[in-house]
mmCIF file of all heavy atoms in Angstrom:
data_model
loop_
_atom_site.group_PDB
_atom_site.id
_atom_site.type_symbol
_atom_site.label_atom_id
_atom_site.label_comp_id
_atom_site.label_asym_id
_atom_site.label_seq_id
_atom_site.Cartn_x
_atom_site.Cartn_y
_atom_site.Cartn_z
ATOM 1 N N LYS A 329 -10.128 7.544 39.945
ATOM 2 C CA LYS A 329 -11.261 6.595 39.952
ATOM 3 C C LYS A 329 -12.022 6.594 38.647
ATOM 4 O O LYS A 329 -12.346 7.628 38.078
ATOM 5 C CB LYS A 329 -12.230 7.018 41.086
ATOM 6 C CG LYS A 329 -13.271 5.959 41.378
ATOM 7 C CD LYS A 329 -14.066 6.396 42.604
ATOM 8 C CE LYS A 329 -15.227 5.464 42.963
ATOM 9 N NZ LYS A 329 -16.076 5.058 41.803
ATOM 10 N N ARG A 330 -12.211 5.306 38.054
ATOM 11 C CA ARG A 330 -12.882 5.241 36.785
ATOM 12 C C ARG A 330 -14.405 5.367 36.907
ATOM 13 O O ARG A 330 -14.958 5.033 37.885
ATOM 14 C CB ARG A 330 -12.631 3.892 36.221
ATOM 15 C CG ARG A 330 -11.176 3.629 35.732
ATOM 16 C CD ARG A 330 -10.968 2.186 35.414
ATOM 17 N NE ARG A 330 -10.808 1.280 36.583
ATOM 18 C CZ ARG A 330 -10.617 -0.012 36.552
ATOM 19 N NH1 ARG A 330 -10.572 -0.627 35.469
ATOM 20 N NH2 ARG A 330 -10.491 -0.654 37.700
ATOM 21 N N GLU A 331 -15.001 5.888 35.800
ATOM 22 C CA GLU A 331 -16.481 5.834 35.732
ATOM 23 C C GLU A 331 -16.836 4.373 35.489
ATOM 24 O O GLU A 331 -15.992 3.575 35.012
ATOM 25 C CB GLU A 331 -16.921 6.687 34.485
ATOM 26 C CG GLU A 331 -16.877 8.216 34.646
ATOM 27 C CD GLU A 331 -15.486 8.746 34.498
ATOM 28 O OE1 GLU A 331 -14.470 7.998 34.333
ATOM 29 O OE2 GLU A 331 -15.368 10.002 34.602
ATOM 30 N N SER A 332 -18.118 4.006 35.729
ATOM 31 C CA SER A 332 -18.485 2.574 35.434
ATOM 32 C C SER A 332 -19.480 2.660 34.276
ATOM 33 O O SER A 332 -19.952 3.669 33.804
ATOM 34 C CB SER A 332 -19.169 2.040 36.705
ATOM 35 O OG SER A 332 -20.338 2.791 37.044
ATOM 36 N N ILE A 333 -19.771 1.421 33.810
ATOM 37 C CA ILE A 333 -20.617 1.305 32.633
ATOM 38 C C ILE A 333 -21.526 0.087 32.836
ATOM 39 O O ILE A 333 -21.055 -0.908 33.424
ATOM 40 C CB ILE A 333 -19.751 1.131 31.326
ATOM 41 C CG1 ILE A 333 -20.554 1.291 30.032
ATOM 42 C CG2 ILE A 333 -19.007 -0.142 31.297
ATOM 43 C CD1 ILE A 333 -19.724 1.421 28.811
ATOM 44 N N ASP A 334 -22.783 0.090 32.469
ATOM 45 C CA ASP A 334 -23.533 -1.120 32.592
ATOM 46 C C ASP A 334 -23.620 -1.858 31.252
ATOM 47 O O ASP A 334 -23.325 -1.273 30.197
ATOM 48 C CB ASP A 334 -24.937 -0.822 33.210
ATOM 49 C CG ASP A 334 -25.802 0.066 32.359
ATOM 50 O OD1 ASP A 334 -25.842 -0.232 31.143
ATOM 51 O OD2 ASP A 334 -26.390 1.058 32.900
ATOM 52 N N PRO A 335 -23.987 -3.187 31.327
ATOM 53 C CA PRO A 335 -23.917 -3.986 30.137
ATOM 54 C C PRO A 335 -24.665 -3.433 28.912
ATOM 55 O O PRO A 335 -24.214 -3.565 27.770
ATOM 56 C CB PRO A 335 -24.403 -5.363 30.558
ATOM 57 C CG PRO A 335 -24.225 -5.371 32.037
ATOM 58 C CD PRO A 335 -24.379 -3.940 32.515
ATOM 59 N N GLU A 336 -25.863 -2.932 29.202
ATOM 60 C CA GLU A 336 -26.678 -2.374 28.102
ATOM 61 C C GLU A 336 -25.942 -1.169 27.416
ATOM 62 O O GLU A 336 -25.919 -1.043 26.133
ATOM 63 C CB GLU A 336 -27.989 -1.838 28.565
ATOM 64 C CG GLU A 336 -28.977 -2.924 29.115
ATOM 65 C CD GLU A 336 -28.541 -3.461 30.506
ATOM 66 O OE1 GLU A 336 -28.063 -2.633 31.262
ATOM 67 O OE2 GLU A 336 -28.712 -4.673 30.720
ATOM 68 N N GLU A 337 -25.362 -0.291 28.272
ATOM 69 C CA GLU A 337 -24.558 0.759 27.705
ATOM 70 C C GLU A 337 -23.432 0.272 26.828
ATOM 71 O O GLU A 337 -23.198 0.764 25.709
ATOM 72 C CB GLU A 337 -23.991 1.684 28.816
ATOM 73 C CG GLU A 337 -25.025 2.499 29.553
ATOM 74 C CD GLU A 337 -24.456 3.206 30.725
ATOM 75 O OE1 GLU A 337 -23.562 2.684 31.448
ATOM 76 O OE2 GLU A 337 -24.916 4.357 30.996
ATOM 77 N N ALA A 338 -22.672 -0.718 27.371
ATOM 78 C CA ALA A 338 -21.550 -1.202 26.608
ATOM 79 C C ALA A 338 -21.945 -1.765 25.263
ATOM 80 O O ALA A 338 -21.275 -1.538 24.224
ATOM 81 C CB ALA A 338 -20.826 -2.321 27.407
ATOM 82 N N GLU A 339 -23.102 -2.438 25.219
ATOM 83 C CA GLU A 339 -23.591 -3.028 23.962
ATOM 84 C C GLU A 339 -23.964 -1.903 22.975
ATOM 85 O O GLU A 339 -23.603 -1.905 21.768
ATOM 86 C CB GLU A 339 -24.828 -3.901 24.337
ATOM 87 C CG GLU A 339 -25.444 -4.444 23.079
ATOM 88 C CD GLU A 339 -25.741 -5.935 23.266
ATOM 89 O OE1 GLU A 339 -25.653 -6.433 24.370
ATOM 90 O OE2 GLU A 339 -26.035 -6.562 22.192
ATOM 91 N N LYS A 340 -24.676 -0.903 23.489
ATOM 92 C CA LYS A 340 -25.103 0.195 22.674
ATOM 93 C C LYS A 340 -23.909 0.989 22.077
ATOM 94 O O LYS A 340 -23.831 1.252 20.874
ATOM 95 C CB LYS A 340 -26.007 1.151 23.452
ATOM 96 C CG LYS A 340 -26.436 2.408 22.772
ATOM 97 C CD LYS A 340 -27.341 3.223 23.662
ATOM 98 C CE LYS A 340 -27.686 4.559 23.093
ATOM 99 N NZ LYS A 340 -28.515 5.353 23.928
ATOM 100 N N TYR A 341 -22.963 1.273 22.928
ATOM 101 C CA TYR A 341 -21.797 2.075 22.530
ATOM 102 C C TYR A 341 -20.964 1.285 21.514
ATOM 103 O O TYR A 341 -20.398 1.825 20.591
ATOM 104 C CB TYR A 341 -20.947 2.490 23.738
ATOM 105 C CG TYR A 341 -21.624 3.282 24.816
ATOM 106 C CD1 TYR A 341 -20.941 3.572 25.983
ATOM 107 C CD2 TYR A 341 -22.900 3.796 24.640
ATOM 108 C CE1 TYR A 341 -21.551 4.315 26.981
ATOM 109 C CE2 TYR A 341 -23.507 4.532 25.626
ATOM 110 C CZ TYR A 341 -22.839 4.809 26.795
ATOM 111 O OH TYR A 341 -23.424 5.551 27.857
ATOM 112 N N ALA A 342 -20.851 -0.021 21.771
ATOM 113 C CA ALA A 342 -20.013 -0.844 20.822
ATOM 114 C C ALA A 342 -20.656 -0.852 19.456
ATOM 115 O O ALA A 342 -19.935 -0.722 18.423
ATOM 116 C CB ALA A 342 -19.910 -2.241 21.412
ATOM 117 N N LYS A 343 -21.967 -0.879 19.440
ATOM 118 C CA LYS A 343 -22.646 -0.880 18.088
ATOM 119 C C LYS A 343 -22.437 0.481 17.408
ATOM 120 O O LYS A 343 -22.256 0.509 16.171
ATOM 121 C CB LYS A 343 -24.127 -1.123 18.257
ATOM 122 C CG LYS A 343 -24.449 -2.629 18.524
ATOM 123 C CD LYS A 343 -25.935 -2.879 18.610
ATOM 124 C CE LYS A 343 -26.227 -4.295 18.890
ATOM 125 N NZ LYS A 343 -27.463 -4.523 19.557
ATOM 126 N N LEU A 344 -22.509 1.539 18.208
ATOM 127 C CA LEU A 344 -22.283 2.865 17.585
ATOM 128 C C LEU A 344 -20.827 3.029 17.045
ATOM 129 O O LEU A 344 -20.585 3.541 15.962
ATOM 130 C CB LEU A 344 -22.576 3.964 18.611
ATOM 131 C CG LEU A 344 -24.045 4.210 18.855
ATOM 132 C CD1 LEU A 344 -24.263 5.158 20.062
ATOM 133 C CD2 LEU A 344 -24.603 4.937 17.606
ATOM 134 N N ALA A 345 -19.894 2.517 17.842
ATOM 135 C CA ALA A 345 -18.442 2.656 17.463
ATOM 136 C C ALA A 345 -18.171 1.835 16.187
ATOM 137 O O ALA A 345 -17.407 2.252 15.322
ATOM 138 C CB ALA A 345 -17.535 2.177 18.608
ATOM 139 N N ALA A 346 -18.903 0.684 16.080
ATOM 140 C CA ALA A 346 -18.683 -0.176 14.889
ATOM 141 C C ALA A 346 -19.099 0.515 13.620
ATOM 142 O O ALA A 346 -18.630 0.186 12.530
ATOM 143 C CB ALA A 346 -19.470 -1.481 15.076
ATOM 144 N N LYS A 347 -19.965 1.537 13.718
ATOM 145 C CA LYS A 347 -20.461 2.220 12.521
ATOM 146 C C LYS A 347 -19.532 3.336 12.068
ATOM 147 O O LYS A 347 -19.690 3.879 11.028
ATOM 148 C CB LYS A 347 -21.799 2.919 12.866
ATOM 149 C CG LYS A 347 -22.980 1.978 12.960
ATOM 150 C CD LYS A 347 -24.258 2.805 12.885
ATOM 151 C CE LYS A 347 -25.350 2.149 13.674
ATOM 152 N NZ LYS A 347 -26.364 3.051 14.129
ATOM 153 N N THR A 348 -18.510 3.618 12.890
ATOM 154 C CA THR A 348 -17.589 4.713 12.502
ATOM 155 C C THR A 348 -16.543 4.315 11.508
ATOM 156 O O THR A 348 -16.210 3.124 11.424
ATOM 157 C CB THR A 348 -16.870 5.333 13.742
ATOM 158 O OG1 THR A 348 -16.047 4.308 14.257
ATOM 159 C CG2 THR A 348 -17.867 5.807 14.806
ATOM 160 N N LYS A 349 -15.992 5.309 10.814
ATOM 161 C CA LYS A 349 -14.938 4.999 9.827
ATOM 162 C C LYS A 349 -13.662 4.585 10.504
ATOM 163 O O LYS A 349 -12.768 3.911 9.893
ATOM 164 C CB LYS A 349 -14.632 6.232 9.030
ATOM 165 C CG LYS A 349 -15.703 6.679 7.998
ATOM 166 C CD LYS A 349 -15.275 7.890 7.197
ATOM 167 C CE LYS A 349 -16.261 8.987 7.402
ATOM 168 N NZ LYS A 349 -15.867 10.363 7.152
ATOM 169 N N ASN A 350 -13.503 4.978 11.789
ATOM 170 C CA ASN A 350 -12.255 4.695 12.510
ATOM 171 C C ASN A 350 -11.924 3.222 12.589
ATOM 172 O O ASN A 350 -10.742 2.860 12.613
ATOM 173 C CB ASN A 350 -12.380 5.196 13.964
ATOM 174 C CG ASN A 350 -12.774 6.624 14.082
ATOM 175 O OD1 ASN A 350 -13.683 7.052 13.439
ATOM 176 N ND2 ASN A 350 -12.050 7.367 14.911
ATOM 177 N N ILE A 351 -12.984 2.370 12.600
ATOM 178 C CA ILE A 351 -12.705 0.997 12.845
ATOM 179 C C ILE A 351 -11.956 0.321 11.634
ATOM 180 O O ILE A 351 -11.003 -0.324 11.836
ATOM 181 C CB ILE A 351 -14.020 0.211 13.082
ATOM 182 C CG1 ILE A 351 -14.693 0.747 14.368
ATOM 183 C CG2 ILE A 351 -13.849 -1.289 13.285
ATOM 184 C CD1 ILE A 351 -13.881 0.734 15.618
ATOM 185 N N ALA A 352 -12.388 0.672 10.451
ATOM 186 C CA ALA A 352 -11.728 0.094 9.301
ATOM 187 C C ALA A 352 -10.365 0.697 9.107
ATOM 188 O O ALA A 352 -9.476 0.186 8.386
ATOM 189 C CB ALA A 352 -12.525 0.413 8.010
ATOM 190 N N ASN A 353 -10.088 1.793 9.817
ATOM 191 C CA ASN A 353 -8.775 2.449 9.720
ATOM 192 C C ASN A 353 -7.709 1.832 10.576
ATOM 193 O O ASN A 353 -6.522 2.211 10.494
ATOM 194 C CB ASN A 353 -8.975 3.911 10.134
ATOM 195 C CG ASN A 353 -7.857 4.810 9.797
ATOM 196 O OD1 ASN A 353 -7.274 4.720 8.672
ATOM 197 N ND2 ASN A 353 -7.472 5.672 10.687
ATOM 198 N N GLY A 354 -8.121 0.838 11.408
ATOM 199 C CA GLY A 354 -7.110 0.252 12.291
ATOM 200 C C GLY A 354 -6.457 -1.040 11.728
ATOM 201 O O GLY A 354 -7.142 -1.749 10.950
#
Side-chain angles (χ1 to χ4, degrees):
K329 193 174 175 314
R330 290 171 282 179
E331 286 78 356
S332 61
I333 191 167
D334 63 46
E336 294 74 34
E337 288 173 324
E339 177 133 12
K340 174 177 174 182
Y341 301 172
K343 283 184 182 153
L344 283 168
K347 284 194 213 158
T348 63
K349 289 182 238 160
N350 305 47
I351 300 302
N353 192 41

